[in-house]
Amino acid sequence: MKRIQKAICRGSLFLSIVFGSACSVLAPAQLSPGETEEEVVAKLGRPTARIPDSNGYLLEYSRNPWGQAIDMARFGNDGRLISYEQVLTSAKFAIIKLGISTKSDVLRTVGHPSHTSYLPRQQLEVWTYPYKESGAWNSLMHIHFDNDGIVREMENGQDLRFDRDGKFGFGGW
């Protein structure tokens, strides 16, 4: 009986260490407006990109190509955090306007794409963003730019990299 109790205690300790560690990694960092860039980088690590903005700058934390998320830390000219949010959402994509938004606007809105391509016949550059549409569906947003860097089309579709049943016969790019 004592062996069983010891085994249960060891197993419980192991599970609490494993799951406790996983929770700390998966839990989003707690950031507060007004924090400095140094404080944010200490909590989140090195950003994947720094994007200039007219009222300051953004630090991009991309979890793509498979993570389906990009977090943006927005800083004012004073170097203090204004906001921190996940930007690959339908609401953020809706901010992008056909015929008006530029590549710079798209970078400041949803960050860098996980994949780029070019359609020579249409003369359009395509930026692709994998994301969870409505927090549930594995989707891709394709943003098409003309040769002047203006958004001309946006297309949303299923991310076939997550096709588990093989109906589509596609395993990736």
Side-chain angles (χ1 to χ4, degrees):
M1 184 70 166
K2 285 190 176 191
R3 274 192 222 167
I4 294 172
Q5 287 175 332
K6 284 182 182 180
I8 290 171
C9 287
R10 276 190 230 124
S12 297
L13 176 62
F14 173 76
L15 290 175
S16 66
I17 290 169
V18 168
F19 287 117
S21 299
C23 290
S24 65
V25 170
L26 297 175
Q30 298 299 316
L31 300 177
S32 301
E35 290 188 40
T36 65
E37 179 179 345
E38 293 77 27
E39 292 170 321
V40 170
V41 171
K43 290 179 182 179
L44 299 178
R46 196 172 124 204
T48 53
R50 183 185 184 99
I51 302 168
D53 192 25
S54 60
N55 298 321
Y57 58 95
L58 300 117
L59 295 183
E60 175 187 283
Y61 289 89
S62 179
R63 288 181 262 160
N64 274 318
W66 289 90
Q68 301 174 309
I70 294 176
D71 298 318
M72 289 281 206
R74 184 175 301 277
F75 291 85
N77 287 325
D78 61 356
R80 299 276 179 184
L81 182 68
I82 297 170
S83 64
Y84 178 69
E85 63 182 328
Q86 200 288 104
V87 295
L88 295 184
T89 65
S90 297
K92 285 292 185 180
F93 287 126
I95 293 172
I96 300 167
K97 301 297 179 202
L98 298 179
I100 298 172
S101 296
T102 65
K103 288 182 179 181
S104 295
D105 296 330
V106 172
L107 283 177
R108 287 191 303 271
T109 304
V110 293
H112 287 84
S114 67
H115 181 76
T116 61
S117 57
Y118 188 75
L119 305 173
R121 187 170 177 204
Q122 295 92 343
Q123 296 185 1
L124 295 171
E125 182 178 353
V126 183
W127 290 6
T128 302
Y129 295 87
Y131 75 110
K132 285 279 198 185
E133 185 177 352
S134 300
W137 296 288
N138 296 315
S139 299
L140 294 172
M141 180 62 75
H142 304 283
I143 302 174
H144 301 77
F145 298 92
D146 65 16
N147 289 331
D148 294 325
I150 305 295
V151 175
R152 292 298 169 195
E153 293 179 42
M154 292 178 67
E155 292 180 359
N156 179 355
Q158 180 181 1
D159 189 344
L160 297 177
R161 296 176 304 164
F162 293 93
D163 175 26
R164 293 183 190 174
D165 60 10
K167 276 194 225 174
F168 296 102
F170 186 76
W173 284 316

